PDB file of all heavy atoms in Angstrom:
ATOM      1  N   LEU A 379     -14.429  -2.746  29.762  1.00  0.00           N
ATOM      2  CA  LEU A 379     -12.979  -2.550  29.645  1.00  0.00           C
ATOM      3  C   LEU A 379     -12.278  -2.414  30.989  1.00  0.00           C
ATOM      4  O   LEU A 379     -11.200  -1.818  31.083  1.00  0.00           O
ATOM      5  CB  LEU A 379     -12.639  -1.365  28.740  1.00  0.00           C
ATOM      6  CG  LEU A 379     -13.090  -1.484  27.286  1.00  0.00           C
ATOM      7  CD1 LEU A 379     -12.456  -0.383  26.435  1.00  0.00           C
ATOM      8  CD2 LEU A 379     -12.750  -2.842  26.689  1.00  0.00           C
ATOM      9  N   ASN A 380     -12.859  -2.995  32.029  1.00  0.00           N
ATOM     10  CA  ASN A 380     -12.139  -3.139  33.292  1.00  0.00           C
ATOM     11  C   ASN A 380     -11.202  -4.342  33.179  1.00  0.00           C
ATOM     12  O   ASN A 380     -11.596  -5.398  32.665  1.00  0.00           O
ATOM     13  CB  ASN A 380     -13.113  -3.342  34.452  1.00  0.00           C
ATOM     14  CG  ASN A 380     -14.039  -2.158  34.638  1.00  0.00           C
ATOM     15  OD1 ASN A 380     -13.593  -1.020  34.770  1.00  0.00           O
ATOM     16  ND2 ASN A 380     -15.347  -2.417  34.639  1.00  0.00           N
ATOM     17  N   LEU A 381      -9.972  -4.187  33.658  1.00  0.00           N
ATOM     18  CA  LEU A 381      -9.001  -5.274  33.584  1.00  0.00           C
ATOM     19  C   LEU A 381      -9.383  -6.387  34.554  1.00  0.00           C
ATOM     20  O   LEU A 381      -9.531  -6.166  35.753  1.00  0.00           O
ATOM     21  CB  LEU A 381      -7.602  -4.753  33.922  1.00  0.00           C
ATOM     22  CG  LEU A 381      -6.477  -5.795  33.909  1.00  0.00           C
ATOM     23  CD1 LEU A 381      -6.251  -6.341  32.507  1.00  0.00           C
ATOM     24  CD2 LEU A 381      -5.185  -5.193  34.466  1.00  0.00           C
ATOM     25  N   MET A 382      -9.533  -7.595  34.041  1.00  0.00           N
ATOM     26  CA  MET A 382      -9.797  -8.764  34.874  1.00  0.00           C
ATOM     27  C   MET A 382      -8.479  -9.428  35.267  1.00  0.00           C
ATOM     28  O   MET A 382      -8.299  -9.820  36.404  1.00  0.00           O
ATOM     29  CB  MET A 382     -10.715  -9.734  34.139  1.00  0.00           C
ATOM     30  CG  MET A 382     -12.074  -9.131  33.787  1.00  0.00           C
ATOM     31  SD  MET A 382     -13.160 -10.228  32.849  1.00  0.00           S
ATOM     32  CE  MET A 382     -13.558 -11.452  34.110  1.00  0.00           C
ATOM     33  N   TRP A 383      -7.575  -9.562  34.310  1.00  0.00           N
ATOM     34  CA  TRP A 383      -6.216 -10.006  34.593  1.00  0.00           C
ATOM     35  C   TRP A 383      -5.343  -9.755  33.362  1.00  0.00           C
ATOM     36  O   TRP A 383      -5.847  -9.526  32.264  1.00  0.00           O
ATOM     37  CB  TRP A 383      -6.139 -11.476  35.005  1.00  0.00           C
ATOM     38  CG  TRP A 383      -6.803 -12.492  34.103  1.00  0.00           C
ATOM     39  CD1 TRP A 383      -7.998 -13.115  34.316  1.00  0.00           C
ATOM     40  CD2 TRP A 383      -6.290 -13.019  32.858  1.00  0.00           C
ATOM     41  NE1 TRP A 383      -8.283 -13.977  33.276  1.00  0.00           N
ATOM     42  CE2 TRP A 383      -7.245 -13.948  32.381  1.00  0.00           C
ATOM     43  CE3 TRP A 383      -5.146 -12.794  32.104  1.00  0.00           C
ATOM     44  CZ2 TRP A 383      -7.078 -14.646  31.182  1.00  0.00           C
ATOM     45  CZ3 TRP A 383      -4.971 -13.479  30.908  1.00  0.00           C
ATOM     46  CH2 TRP A 383      -5.938 -14.398  30.471  1.00  0.00           C
ATOM     47  N   LYS A 384      -4.032  -9.780  33.579  1.00  0.00           N
ATOM     48  CA  LYS A 384      -3.093  -9.771  32.462  1.00  0.00           C
ATOM     49  C   LYS A 384      -1.988 -10.772  32.754  1.00  0.00           C
ATOM     50  O   LYS A 384      -1.595 -10.984  33.901  1.00  0.00           O
ATOM     51  CB  LYS A 384      -2.530  -8.384  32.196  1.00  0.00           C
ATOM     52  CG  LYS A 384      -1.703  -7.767  33.294  1.00  0.00           C
ATOM     53  CD  LYS A 384      -1.222  -6.378  32.858  1.00  0.00           C
ATOM     54  CE  LYS A 384      -0.378  -5.719  33.945  1.00  0.00           C
ATOM     55  NZ  LYS A 384       0.112  -4.378  33.508  1.00  0.00           N
ATOM     56  N   HIS A 385      -1.513 -11.407  31.700  1.00  0.00           N
ATOM     57  CA  HIS A 385      -0.483 -12.439  31.818  1.00  0.00           C
ATOM     58  C   HIS A 385       0.732 -12.014  31.001  1.00  0.00           C
ATOM     59  O   HIS A 385       0.616 -11.688  29.819  1.00  0.00           O
ATOM     60  CB  HIS A 385      -1.005 -13.779  31.300  1.00  0.00           C
ATOM     61  CG  HIS A 385       0.030 -14.860  31.286  1.00  0.00           C
ATOM     62  ND1 HIS A 385       0.245 -15.700  32.356  1.00  0.00           N
ATOM     63  CD2 HIS A 385       0.936 -15.223  30.335  1.00  0.00           C
ATOM     64  CE1 HIS A 385       1.223 -16.538  32.058  1.00  0.00           C
ATOM     65  NE2 HIS A 385       1.656 -16.269  30.840  1.00  0.00           N
ATOM     66  N   GLN A 386       1.889 -12.013  31.643  1.00  0.00           N
ATOM     67  CA  GLN A 386       3.110 -11.594  30.960  1.00  0.00           C
ATOM     68  C   GLN A 386       3.798 -12.774  30.311  1.00  0.00           C
ATOM     69  O   GLN A 386       3.968 -13.835  30.904  1.00  0.00           O
ATOM     70  CB  GLN A 386       4.073 -10.913  31.929  1.00  0.00           C
ATOM     71  CG  GLN A 386       5.304 -10.335  31.240  1.00  0.00           C
ATOM     72  CD  GLN A 386       6.186  -9.525  32.176  1.00  0.00           C
ATOM     73  OE1 GLN A 386       6.055  -9.613  33.389  1.00  0.00           O
ATOM     74  NE2 GLN A 386       7.068  -8.710  31.609  1.00  0.00           N
ATOM     75  N   SER A 387       4.195 -12.565  29.058  1.00  0.00           N
ATOM     76  CA  SER A 387       5.000 -13.530  28.326  1.00  0.00           C
ATOM     77  C   SER A 387       6.378 -12.931  28.114  1.00  0.00           C
ATOM     78  O   SER A 387       6.568 -11.718  28.247  1.00  0.00           O
ATOM     79  CB  SER A 387       4.338 -13.846  26.974  1.00  0.00           C
ATOM     80  OG  SER A 387       5.201 -14.592  26.140  1.00  0.00           O
ATOM     81  N   ASN A 388       7.342 -13.759  27.767  1.00  0.00           N
ATOM     82  CA  ASN A 388       8.658 -13.219  27.420  1.00  0.00           C
ATOM     83  C   ASN A 388       8.836 -13.116  25.912  1.00  0.00           C
ATOM     84  O   ASN A 388       9.950 -12.952  25.412  1.00  0.00           O
ATOM     85  CB  ASN A 388       9.779 -14.078  28.032  1.00  0.00           C
ATOM     86  CG  ASN A 388       9.728 -15.517  27.556  1.00  0.00           C
ATOM     87  OD1 ASN A 388       8.827 -15.903  26.803  1.00  0.00           O
ATOM     88  ND2 ASN A 388      10.685 -16.313  27.985  1.00  0.00           N
ATOM     89  N   MET A 389       7.718 -13.216  25.187  1.00  0.00           N
ATOM     90  CA  MET A 389       7.756 -13.172  23.729  1.00  0.00           C
ATOM     91  C   MET A 389       6.581 -12.339  23.210  1.00  0.00           C
ATOM     92  O   MET A 389       5.575 -12.162  23.893  1.00  0.00           O
ATOM     93  CB  MET A 389       7.676 -14.587  23.151  1.00  0.00           C
ATOM     94  CG  MET A 389       8.873 -15.469  23.507  1.00  0.00           C
ATOM     95  SD  MET A 389       8.632 -17.200  23.041  1.00  0.00           S
ATOM     96  CE  MET A 389       7.501 -17.753  24.312  1.00  0.00           C
ATOM     97  N   VAL A 390       6.707 -11.828  21.983  1.00  0.00           N
ATOM     98  CA  VAL A 390       5.637 -11.070  21.335  1.00  0.00           C
ATOM     99  C   VAL A 390       4.406 -11.955  21.164  1.00  0.00           C
ATOM    100  O   VAL A 390       4.510 -13.129  20.798  1.00  0.00           O
ATOM    101  CB  VAL A 390       6.099 -10.550  19.959  1.00  0.00           C
ATOM    102  CG1 VAL A 390       4.933  -9.959  19.170  1.00  0.00           C
ATOM    103  CG2 VAL A 390       7.204  -9.518  20.131  1.00  0.00           C
ATOM    104  N   ILE A 391       3.232 -11.387  21.442  1.00  0.00           N
ATOM    105  CA  ILE A 391       1.974 -12.098  21.261  1.00  0.00           C
ATOM    106  C   ILE A 391       1.429 -11.760  19.871  1.00  0.00           C
ATOM    107  O   ILE A 391       1.039 -10.629  19.601  1.00  0.00           O
ATOM    108  CB  ILE A 391       0.939 -11.695  22.335  1.00  0.00           C
ATOM    109  CG1 ILE A 391       1.532 -11.830  23.744  1.00  0.00           C
ATOM    110  CG2 ILE A 391      -0.337 -12.498  22.173  1.00  0.00           C
ATOM    111  CD1 ILE A 391       1.971 -13.227  24.114  1.00  0.00           C
ATOM    112  N   TRP A 392       1.388 -12.753  18.968  1.00  0.00           N
ATOM    113  CA  TRP A 392       0.897 -12.516  17.616  1.00  0.00           C
ATOM    114  C   TRP A 392      -0.597 -12.752  17.492  1.00  0.00           C
ATOM    115  O   TRP A 392      -1.230 -12.261  16.556  1.00  0.00           O
ATOM    116  CB  TRP A 392       1.640 -13.396  16.621  1.00  0.00           C
ATOM    117  CG  TRP A 392       3.039 -12.922  16.377  1.00  0.00           C
ATOM    118  CD1 TRP A 392       4.182 -13.445  16.898  1.00  0.00           C
ATOM    119  CD2 TRP A 392       3.440 -11.806  15.584  1.00  0.00           C
ATOM    120  NE1 TRP A 392       5.276 -12.727  16.473  1.00  0.00           N
ATOM    121  CE2 TRP A 392       4.843 -11.714  15.658  1.00  0.00           C
ATOM    122  CE3 TRP A 392       2.754 -10.879  14.805  1.00  0.00           C
ATOM    123  CZ2 TRP A 392       5.562 -10.730  14.984  1.00  0.00           C
ATOM    124  CZ3 TRP A 392       3.471  -9.902  14.139  1.00  0.00           C
ATOM    125  CH2 TRP A 392       4.862  -9.837  14.229  1.00  0.00           C
ATOM    126  N   GLY A 393      -1.159 -13.506  18.403  1.00  0.00           N
ATOM    127  CA  GLY A 393      -2.586 -13.764  18.323  1.00  0.00           C
ATOM    128  C   GLY A 393      -3.092 -14.483  19.553  1.00  0.00           C
ATOM    129  O   GLY A 393      -2.321 -15.075  20.319  1.00  0.00           O
ATOM    130  N   THR A 394      -4.400 -14.413  19.763  1.00  0.00           N
ATOM    131  CA  THR A 394      -5.064 -15.145  20.838  1.00  0.00           C
ATOM    132  C   THR A 394      -6.302 -15.804  20.255  1.00  0.00           C
ATOM    133  O   THR A 394      -6.867 -15.338  19.254  1.00  0.00           O
ATOM    134  CB  THR A 394      -5.478 -14.210  21.986  1.00  0.00           C
ATOM    135  OG1 THR A 394      -6.355 -13.197  21.475  1.00  0.00           O
ATOM    136  CG2 THR A 394      -4.262 -13.567  22.637  1.00  0.00           C
ATOM    137  N   MET A 395      -6.740 -16.887  20.876  1.00  0.00           N
ATOM    138  CA  MET A 395      -7.877 -17.620  20.359  1.00  0.00           C
ATOM    139  C   MET A 395      -8.616 -18.317  21.502  1.00  0.00           C
ATOM    140  O   MET A 395      -8.049 -19.189  22.157  1.00  0.00           O
ATOM    141  CB  MET A 395      -7.389 -18.667  19.350  1.00  0.00           C
ATOM    142  CG  MET A 395      -8.482 -19.369  18.572  1.00  0.00           C
ATOM    143  SD  MET A 395      -7.771 -20.628  17.472  1.00  0.00           S
ATOM    144  CE  MET A 395      -6.624 -19.658  16.507  1.00  0.00           C
ATOM    145  N   PRO A 396      -9.857 -17.931  21.799  1.00  0.00           N
ATOM    146  CA  PRO A 396     -10.613 -18.673  22.808  1.00  0.00           C
ATOM    147  C   PRO A 396     -11.020 -20.041  22.264  1.00  0.00           C
ATOM    148  O   PRO A 396     -11.410 -20.167  21.095  1.00  0.00           O
ATOM    149  CB  PRO A 396     -11.841 -17.783  23.046  1.00  0.00           C
ATOM    150  CG  PRO A 396     -11.995 -17.007  21.793  1.00  0.00           C
ATOM    151  CD  PRO A 396     -10.627 -16.807  21.231  1.00  0.00           C
ATOM    152  N   PHE A 397     -10.911 -21.062  23.085  1.00  0.00           N
ATOM    153  CA  PHE A 397     -11.324 -22.408  22.679  1.00  0.00           C
ATOM    154  C   PHE A 397     -11.528 -23.245  23.937  1.00  0.00           C
ATOM    155  O   PHE A 397     -11.227 -22.803  25.049  1.00  0.00           O
ATOM    156  CB  PHE A 397     -10.293 -23.041  21.738  1.00  0.00           C
ATOM    157  CG  PHE A 397      -9.049 -23.586  22.404  1.00  0.00           C
ATOM    158  CD1 PHE A 397      -8.699 -24.916  22.284  1.00  0.00           C
ATOM    159  CD2 PHE A 397      -8.209 -22.756  23.151  1.00  0.00           C
ATOM    160  CE1 PHE A 397      -7.553 -25.421  22.884  1.00  0.00           C
ATOM    161  CE2 PHE A 397      -7.061 -23.249  23.746  1.00  0.00           C
ATOM    162  CZ  PHE A 397      -6.736 -24.588  23.621  1.00  0.00           C
ATOM    163  N   THR A 398     -12.052 -24.424  23.766  1.00  0.00           N
ATOM    164  CA  THR A 398     -12.280 -25.324  24.891  1.00  0.00           C
ATOM    165  C   THR A 398     -11.158 -26.351  24.932  1.00  0.00           C
ATOM    166  O   THR A 398     -11.041 -27.198  24.029  1.00  0.00           O
ATOM    167  CB  THR A 398     -13.640 -26.025  24.771  1.00  0.00           C
ATOM    168  OG1 THR A 398     -14.671 -25.028  24.741  1.00  0.00           O
ATOM    169  CG2 THR A 398     -13.876 -26.949  25.956  1.00  0.00           C
ATOM    170  N   TYR A 399     -10.321 -26.262  25.949  1.00  0.00           N
ATOM    171  CA  TYR A 399      -9.171 -27.153  26.094  1.00  0.00           C
ATOM    172  C   TYR A 399      -9.452 -28.152  27.212  1.00  0.00           C
ATOM    173  O   TYR A 399      -9.675 -27.760  28.363  1.00  0.00           O
ATOM    174  CB  TYR A 399      -7.915 -26.331  26.413  1.00  0.00           C
ATOM    175  CG  TYR A 399      -6.674 -27.161  26.667  1.00  0.00           C
ATOM    176  CD1 TYR A 399      -6.116 -27.923  25.652  1.00  0.00           C
ATOM    177  CD2 TYR A 399      -6.067 -27.172  27.920  1.00  0.00           C
ATOM    178  CE1 TYR A 399      -4.978 -28.681  25.873  1.00  0.00           C
ATOM    179  CE2 TYR A 399      -4.925 -27.926  28.155  1.00  0.00           C
ATOM    180  CZ  TYR A 399      -4.387 -28.682  27.125  1.00  0.00           C
ATOM    181  OH  TYR A 399      -3.261 -29.432  27.354  1.00  0.00           O
ATOM    182  N   LEU A 400      -9.484 -29.421  26.843  1.00  0.00           N
ATOM    183  CA  LEU A 400      -9.759 -30.498  27.801  1.00  0.00           C
ATOM    184  C   LEU A 400     -11.045 -30.221  28.585  1.00  0.00           C
ATOM    185  O   LEU A 400     -11.130 -30.450  29.795  1.00  0.00           O
ATOM    186  CB  LEU A 400      -8.575 -30.690  28.756  1.00  0.00           C
ATOM    187  CG  LEU A 400      -7.219 -31.011  28.093  1.00  0.00           C
ATOM    188  CD1 LEU A 400      -6.134 -31.152  29.148  1.00  0.00           C
ATOM    189  CD2 LEU A 400      -7.316 -32.271  27.239  1.00  0.00           C
ATOM    190  N   GLY A 401     -12.036 -29.699  27.888  1.00  0.00           N
ATOM    191  CA  GLY A 401     -13.337 -29.465  28.493  1.00  0.00           C
ATOM    192  C   GLY A 401     -13.499 -28.150  29.221  1.00  0.00           C
ATOM    193  O   GLY A 401     -14.578 -27.867  29.755  1.00  0.00           O
ATOM    194  N   ASN A 402     -12.453 -27.306  29.231  1.00  0.00           N
ATOM    195  CA  ASN A 402     -12.498 -26.050  29.981  1.00  0.00           C
ATOM    196  C   ASN A 402     -12.311 -24.848  29.053  1.00  0.00           C
ATOM    197  O   ASN A 402     -11.436 -24.869  28.184  1.00  0.00           O
ATOM    198  CB  ASN A 402     -11.387 -26.032  31.041  1.00  0.00           C
ATOM    199  CG  ASN A 402     -11.529 -27.162  32.039  1.00  0.00           C
ATOM    200  OD1 ASN A 402     -12.575 -27.333  32.643  1.00  0.00           O
ATOM    201  ND2 ASN A 402     -10.463 -27.947  32.206  1.00  0.00           N
ATOM    202  N   PRO A 403     -13.111 -23.773  29.234  1.00  0.00           N
ATOM    203  CA  PRO A 403     -12.905 -22.559  28.447  1.00  0.00           C
ATOM    204  C   PRO A 403     -11.494 -22.014  28.674  1.00  0.00           C
ATOM    205  O   PRO A 403     -11.076 -21.805  29.815  1.00  0.00           O
ATOM    206  CB  PRO A 403     -13.964 -21.598  28.995  1.00  0.00           C
ATOM    207  CG  PRO A 403     -14.991 -22.472  29.625  1.00  0.00           C
ATOM    208  CD  PRO A 403     -14.246 -23.650  30.165  1.00  0.00           C
ATOM    209  N   SER A 404     -10.765 -21.785  27.593  1.00  0.00           N
ATOM    210  CA  SER A 404      -9.348 -21.426  27.685  1.00  0.00           C
ATOM    211  C   SER A 404      -8.981 -20.463  26.568  1.00  0.00           C
ATOM    212  O   SER A 404      -9.794 -20.149  25.693  1.00  0.00           O
ATOM    213  CB  SER A 404      -8.479 -22.693  27.591  1.00  0.00           C
ATOM    214  OG  SER A 404      -8.842 -23.650  28.569  1.00  0.00           O
ATOM    215  N   ILE A 405      -7.739 -20.014  26.605  1.00  0.00           N
ATOM    216  CA  ILE A 405      -7.210 -19.104  25.588  1.00  0.00           C
ATOM    217  C   ILE A 405      -5.923 -19.694  25.032  1.00  0.00           C
ATOM    218  O   ILE A 405      -4.990 -19.993  25.787  1.00  0.00           O
ATOM    219  CB  ILE A 405      -6.928 -17.710  26.178  1.00  0.00           C
ATOM    220  CG1 ILE A 405      -8.203 -17.103  26.754  1.00  0.00           C
ATOM    221  CG2 ILE A 405      -6.324 -16.787  25.113  1.00  0.00           C
ATOM    222  CD1 ILE A 405      -7.960 -15.869  27.593  1.00  0.00           C
ATOM    223  N   LEU A 406      -5.877 -19.870  23.718  1.00  0.00           N
ATOM    224  CA  LEU A 406      -4.649 -20.267  23.043  1.00  0.00           C
ATOM    225  C   LEU A 406      -3.879 -19.004  22.688  1.00  0.00           C
ATOM    226  O   LEU A 406      -4.414 -18.101  22.037  1.00  0.00           O
ATOM    227  CB  LEU A 406      -4.961 -21.068  21.786  1.00  0.00           C
ATOM    228  CG  LEU A 406      -3.745 -21.608  21.024  1.00  0.00           C
ATOM    229  CD1 LEU A 406      -3.044 -22.698  21.822  1.00  0.00           C
ATOM    230  CD2 LEU A 406      -4.152 -22.134  19.654  1.00  0.00           C
ATOM    231  N   VAL A 407      -2.636 -18.926  23.116  1.00  0.00           N
ATOM    232  CA  VAL A 407      -1.787 -17.763  22.861  1.00  0.00           C
ATOM    233  C   VAL A 407      -0.764 -18.149  21.799  1.00  0.00           C
ATOM    234  O   VAL A 407      -0.019 -19.124  21.957  1.00  0.00           O
ATOM    235  CB  VAL A 407      -1.079 -17.290  24.144  1.00  0.00           C
ATOM    236  CG1 VAL A 407      -0.233 -16.057  23.859  1.00  0.00           C
ATOM    237  CG2 VAL A 407      -2.110 -16.991  25.237  1.00  0.00           C
ATOM    238  N   ILE A 408      -0.731 -17.373  20.712  1.00  0.00           N
ATOM    239  CA  ILE A 408       0.122 -17.679  19.567  1.00  0.00           C
ATOM    240  C   ILE A 408       1.376 -16.816  19.651  1.00  0.00           C
ATOM    241  O   ILE A 408       1.310 -15.581  19.634  1.00  0.00           O
ATOM    242  CB  ILE A 408      -0.635 -17.413  18.258  1.00  0.00           C
ATOM    243  CG1 ILE A 408      -1.921 -18.240  18.217  1.00  0.00           C
ATOM    244  CG2 ILE A 408       0.238 -17.730  17.052  1.00  0.00           C
ATOM    245  CD1 ILE A 408      -2.856 -17.849  17.098  1.00  0.00           C
ATOM    246  N   THR A 409       2.518 -17.462  19.726  1.00  0.00           N
ATOM    247  CA  THR A 409       3.788 -16.762  19.894  1.00  0.00           C
ATOM    248  C   THR A 409       4.882 -17.652  19.302  1.00  0.00           C
ATOM    249  O   THR A 409       4.650 -18.271  18.257  1.00  0.00           O
ATOM    250  CB  THR A 409       4.013 -16.420  21.387  1.00  0.00           C
ATOM    251  OG1 THR A 409       5.252 -15.743  21.533  1.00  0.00           O
ATOM    252  CG2 THR A 409       3.939 -17.609  22.289  1.00  0.00           C
ATOM    253  N   ARG A 410       6.053 -17.731  19.900  1.00  0.00           N
ATOM    254  CA  ARG A 410       7.054 -18.700  19.447  1.00  0.00           C
ATOM    255  C   ARG A 410       6.621 -20.059  19.985  1.00  0.00           C
ATOM    256  O   ARG A 410       6.926 -20.423  21.111  1.00  0.00           O
ATOM    257  CB  ARG A 410       8.449 -18.331  19.941  1.00  0.00           C
ATOM    258  CG  ARG A 410       9.524 -19.315  19.455  1.00  0.00           C
ATOM    259  CD  ARG A 410      10.905 -18.851  19.841  1.00  0.00           C
ATOM    260  NE  ARG A 410      11.324 -17.698  19.043  1.00  0.00           N
ATOM    261  CZ  ARG A 410      12.402 -16.972  19.306  1.00  0.00           C
ATOM    262  NH1 ARG A 410      13.164 -17.259  20.350  1.00  0.00           N
ATOM    263  NH2 ARG A 410      12.713 -15.950  18.535  1.00  0.00           N
ATOM    264  N   GLY A 411       5.913 -20.790  19.145  1.00  0.00           N
ATOM    265  CA  GLY A 411       5.150 -21.919  19.620  1.00  0.00           C
ATOM    266  C   GLY A 411       3.791 -21.423  20.091  1.00  0.00           C
ATOM    267  O   GLY A 411       3.220 -20.494  19.514  1.00  0.00           O
ATOM    268  N   TYR A 412       3.272 -22.005  21.151  1.00  0.00           N
ATOM    269  CA  TYR A 412       1.978 -21.573  21.671  1.00  0.00           C
ATOM    270  C   TYR A 412       1.855 -22.066  23.105  1.00  0.00           C
ATOM    271  O   TYR A 412       2.573 -22.971  23.552  1.00  0.00           O
ATOM    272  CB  TYR A 412       0.824 -22.132  20.824  1.00  0.00           C
ATOM    273  CG  TYR A 412       0.843 -23.633  20.654  1.00  0.00           C
ATOM    274  CD1 TYR A 412       0.255 -24.478  21.593  1.00  0.00           C
ATOM    275  CD2 TYR A 412       1.460 -24.218  19.544  1.00  0.00           C
ATOM    276  CE1 TYR A 412       0.290 -25.857  21.441  1.00  0.00           C
ATOM    277  CE2 TYR A 412       1.504 -25.591  19.380  1.00  0.00           C
ATOM    278  CZ  TYR A 412       0.905 -26.404  20.328  1.00  0.00           C
ATOM    279  OH  TYR A 412       0.942 -27.763  20.175  1.00  0.00           O
ATOM    280  N   TYR A 413       0.952 -21.432  23.842  1.00  0.00           N
ATOM    281  CA  TYR A 413       0.622 -21.919  25.169  1.00  0.00           C
ATOM    282  C   TYR A 413      -0.843 -21.660  25.465  1.00  0.00           C
ATOM    283  O   TYR A 413      -1.529 -20.934  24.724  1.00  0.00           O
ATOM    284  CB  TYR A 413       1.543 -21.352  26.248  1.00  0.00           C
ATOM    285  CG  TYR A 413       1.545 -19.856  26.437  1.00  0.00           C
ATOM    286  CD1 TYR A 413       0.648 -19.225  27.306  1.00  0.00           C
ATOM    287  CD2 TYR A 413       2.496 -19.050  25.796  1.00  0.00           C
ATOM    288  CE1 TYR A 413       0.683 -17.857  27.512  1.00  0.00           C
ATOM    289  CE2 TYR A 413       2.537 -17.680  25.997  1.00  0.00           C
ATOM    290  CZ  TYR A 413       1.625 -17.091  26.852  1.00  0.00           C
ATOM    291  OH  TYR A 413       1.659 -15.731  27.058  1.00  0.00           O
ATOM    292  N   VAL A 414      -1.340 -22.282  26.535  1.00  0.00           N
ATOM    293  CA  VAL A 414      -2.751 -22.210  26.889  1.00  0.00           C
ATOM    294  C   VAL A 414      -2.899 -21.572  28.263  1.00  0.00           C
ATOM    295  O   VAL A 414      -2.210 -21.958  29.213  1.00  0.00           O
ATOM    296  CB  VAL A 414      -3.391 -23.620  26.897  1.00  0.00           C
ATOM    297  CG1 VAL A 414      -4.870 -23.532  27.300  1.00  0.00           C
ATOM    298  CG2 VAL A 414      -3.258 -24.280  25.528  1.00  0.00           C
ATOM    299  N   LEU A 415      -3.807 -20.586  28.354  1.00  0.00           N
ATOM    300  CA  LEU A 415      -4.181 -19.986  29.625  1.00  0.00           C
ATOM    301  C   LEU A 415      -5.597 -20.411  29.978  1.00  0.00           C
ATOM    302  O   LEU A 415      -6.464 -20.477  29.097  1.00  0.00           O
ATOM    303  CB  LEU A 415      -4.131 -18.455  29.541  1.00  0.00           C
ATOM    304  CG  LEU A 415      -2.791 -17.813  29.182  1.00  0.00           C
ATOM    305  CD1 LEU A 415      -2.955 -16.305  29.053  1.00  0.00           C
ATOM    306  CD2 LEU A 415      -1.719 -18.150  30.208  1.00  0.00           C
ATOM    307  N   ASP A 416      -5.838 -20.695  31.254  1.00  0.00           N
ATOM    308  CA  ASP A 416      -7.214 -20.947  31.666  1.00  0.00           C
ATOM    309  C   ASP A 416      -7.950 -19.620  31.818  1.00  0.00           C
ATOM    310  O   ASP A 416      -7.385 -18.537  31.604  1.00  0.00           O
ATOM    311  CB  ASP A 416      -7.272 -21.799  32.932  1.00  0.00           C
ATOM    312  CG  ASP A 416      -6.729 -21.103  34.176  1.00  0.00           C
ATOM    313  OD1 ASP A 416      -6.573 -19.861  34.169  1.00  0.00           O
ATOM    314  OD2 ASP A 416      -6.458 -21.807  35.170  1.00  0.00           O
TER     315      ASP A 416
END
């Protein structure tokens, strides 16, 4: 539970999902629409 990083959004985060995006381990962030973090 040591913080590795945190990413600020301007919207409520309803969910997160690890997945492989374009061959790279990534995180899908579910909000108003969605975005991908490496």
Side-chain angles (χ1 to χ4, degrees):
L379 298 191
N380 298 306
L381 179 66
M382 299 177 70
W383 52 257
K384 63 180 180 179
H385 175 90
Q386 186 174 16
S387 170
N388 59 357
M389 296 171 285
V390 171
I391 308 299
W392 286 102
T394 59
M395 189 182 304
F397 78 121
T398 301
Y399 177 65
L400 302 179
N402 299 307
S404 305
I405 301 168
L406 183 69
V407 182
I408 303 169
T409 180
R410 181 174 288 170
Y412 54 86
Y413 61 88
V414 179
L415 301 176
D416 67 16

